Amino acid sequence: MPVETAAAPSPTEAGSPLPAEEPVDPAAPPAEKGAEPEEPVAPAAPPAEKGAEPEEPVAPVAPPAEKGAEPEEPVDPVAPPAEKGAEPESVTPASYPTSGAIGVKYATASAVLGAAISPEFTSQRFGGAYQLFENGTIAYLPQYGAYIVIGGNNSVWQSIGAQDSDLGYPISAEYAPMTGGVMQIFQFGKISWNPATGSRVTKGGIGGAWDNAGGPLGGLGYPTTDEYAPMPGGVMQDFQYGKISWNAATGSRVTKGGIGATWDSAGGPLSGLGYPTTDEYATVNGGAVQNFQYGQIAYSPATGSHIVRGAIGAMWILSGGPRGSFGYPTADEITGLTGGGAKQYFQDAEIVWSPSVGTKRITGGIRSIWVAQGSEAGRLGYPISNAYWVSGGEGQDFQGGRITRYSGNTKIEYASDMQ
């Protein structure tokens, strides 16, 4: 007899709960066999209740990126509009990086130099480099290292061509040789600055002469001009208390004080004296002399500064200059005399020149008598000899006669009486 088989109880009846099944959207079509499952669709938000505050809009979910596609750049949210009357934000100017020796130097002075306003320029003259900053320059040479150029010195250096100029690269930091001024050394010269003179370049022979004289600590002070050419073949530079001049024939020479002022007033190198051939040198009685191409200028506290030149100057030098029997000149040469002559007074003599008789000296008592007779314009005219010894005294011959002096006695003989 067939045995009746009991039906298997349902899971719920057995008491072990099954997970609830996902409700199936009746509108959705059945998925095709093997198709990728679709992304679940977010359910639509329920309508807001009447009178409720509107909710913040929800940003739509971005669609997933396709497999293998490059990720898109994130998009910045749109900045809110500025409030009316608000100040615009400041924009920091672009700055360039620094590196190497210039970067190391910049790290020590960034507060002074400000931001870099150029890249580093390499492969420059002599294998150097430089970089520009808001307030200066850093220049570098392998054999000297990196140095900063700032302020007025930088302005002047840049204006003349910087490292490509006659100065070349800086080879020292800026330093203060004395209170109130600064200097900086370059390959081929210096730039110095003080408030009274501004920034000036010294270089070449003139710069060397200034250095040898003590620079700003010497008697010249700081330069007040750059080099200039008063005439072809030579250059000069003015300083606070004098000048330095140079030409190929004389080299570099300093003129200053009373001698320098006399040379300037006569026209400097454009005068009949030309360029100085020596520096000033000391002589007797606190005085000094300086030689020029075509004469001398002599100074003493008692006489001041005076020019001696030409035939008169030659006789003065041959007689010993200020150390000789004439002493220092007490006046400049006087020209335009009778017969086209000239003369010059000295402390202890007078030198007279005329085209017809040349240069002669007159001294002592004979000179006093000749002056009393009207000098060259008088009856005696120009001397035609220097003084000479006679028995018991001295005599001197003139165009119009002779003066003889014996001890205590004087004799004047005119040419008309001597015939």
Side-chain angles (χ1 to χ4, degrees):
M1 168 176 183
V3 179
E4 190 173 304
T5 306
S10 69
T12 53
E13 289 175 346
S16 66
L18 292 175
E21 288 187 0
E22 196 78 18
V24 179
D25 186 352
E32 291 181 15
K33 189 173 182 180
E36 288 288 327
E38 291 187 354
E39 194 76 15
V41 180
E49 294 182 18
K50 188 175 180 181
E53 287 290 314
E55 291 185 355
E56 251 338 271
V58 179
V61 178
E66 292 182 18
K67 190 172 182 181
E70 289 291 326
E72 292 187 19
E73 196 76 12
V75 179
D76 287 339
V78 178
E83 294 182 18
K84 189 174 181 181
E87 289 289 328
E89 292 186 21
S90 61
V91 178
T92 303
S95 181
Y96 292 86
T98 59
S99 62
I102 288 179
V104 171
K105 180 62 72 174
Y106 178 63
T108 68
S110 57
V112 174
L113 286 168
I117 58 173
S118 81
E120 182 177 316
F121 296 99
T122 58
S123 302
Q124 300 297 303
R125 185 185 187 194
F126 305 132
Y130 71 93
Q131 189 164 5
L132 305 177
F133 296 83
E134 289 178 303
N135 303 316
T137 306
I138 300 179
Y140 165 81
L141 271 182
Q143 63 269 45
Y144 293 108
Y147 288 100
I148 296 167
V149 192
I150 57 173
N153 287 356
N154 184 55
S155 298
V156 168
W157 186 54
Q158 293 292 340
S159 72
I160 64 173
Q163 73 281 347
D164 295 323
S165 71
D166 291 344
L167 284 178
Y169 287 83
I171 59 172
S172 84
E174 193 176 87
Y175 63 97
M178 60 189 293
T179 304
V182 294
M183 292 180 67
Q184 190 160 9
I185 304 172
F186 292 76
Q187 286 176 289
F188 311 114
K190 288 183 171 74
I191 301 180
S192 57
W193 174 93
N194 83 356
T197 62
S199 292
R200 302 292 179 183
V201 174
T202 50
K203 60 183 179 178
I206 287 179
W210 185 51
D211 289 345
N212 292 337
L217 299 175
L220 288 171
Y222 281 92
T224 58
T225 69
D226 292 324
E227 244 179 43
Y228 59 94
M231 61 188 295
V235 291
M236 293 179 67
Q237 188 161 8
D238 298 348
F239 293 78
Q240 287 176 299
Y241 310 112
K243 285 182 169 66
I244 301 178
S245 56
W246 174 93
N247 82 359
T250 63
S252 294
R253 302 295 178 183
V254 174
T255 51
K256 60 183 180 179
I259 289 177
T262 297
W263 186 51
D264 287 346
S265 66
L270 299 174
S271 70
L273 286 170
Y275 282 93
T277 58
T278 68
D279 291 328
E280 187 179 285
Y281 55 93
T283 55
V284 295
N285 301 324
V289 173
Q290 188 161 8
N291 299 337
F292 294 78
Q293 287 175 298
Y294 310 111
Q296 292 80 32
I297 300 179
Y299 162 85
S300 79
T303 61
S305 293
H306 296 287
I307 296 169
V308 285
R309 59 184 170 186
I312 290 176
M315 174 169 277
W316 179 65
I317 293 296
L318 287 173
S319 69
R323 299 178 187 275
S325 59
F326 294 171
Y328 286 95
T330 58
D332 290 334
E333 186 179 286
I334 301 167
T335 59
L337 302 181
T338 302
K343 65 182 177 182
Q344 188 163 5
Y345 300 120
F346 294 80
Q347 286 176 305
D348 300 313
E350 184 173 331
I351 300 178
V352 182
W353 175 88
S354 76
S356 58
V357 298
T359 306
K360 307 298 178 187
R361 63 176 179 265
I362 310 177
T363 62
I366 290 179
R367 177 191 176 199
S368 298
I369 295 167
W370 179 66
V371 169
Q373 292 290 310
S375 298
E376 71 283 342
R379 187 173 175 183
L380 289 170
Y382 285 99
I384 58 174
S385 76
N386 292 319
Y388 51 87
W389 293 105
V390 296
S391 177
E394 62 176 352
Q396 188 163 5
D397 298 333
F398 294 82
Q399 288 173 314
R402 179 186 301 128
I403 298 176
T404 307
R405 285 188 74 247
Y406 303 97
S407 53
N409 296 307
T410 299
K411 180 180 179 182
I412 300 174
E413 301 173 87
Y414 294 106
S416 56
D417 300 333
M418 294 168 62
Q419 293 176 353

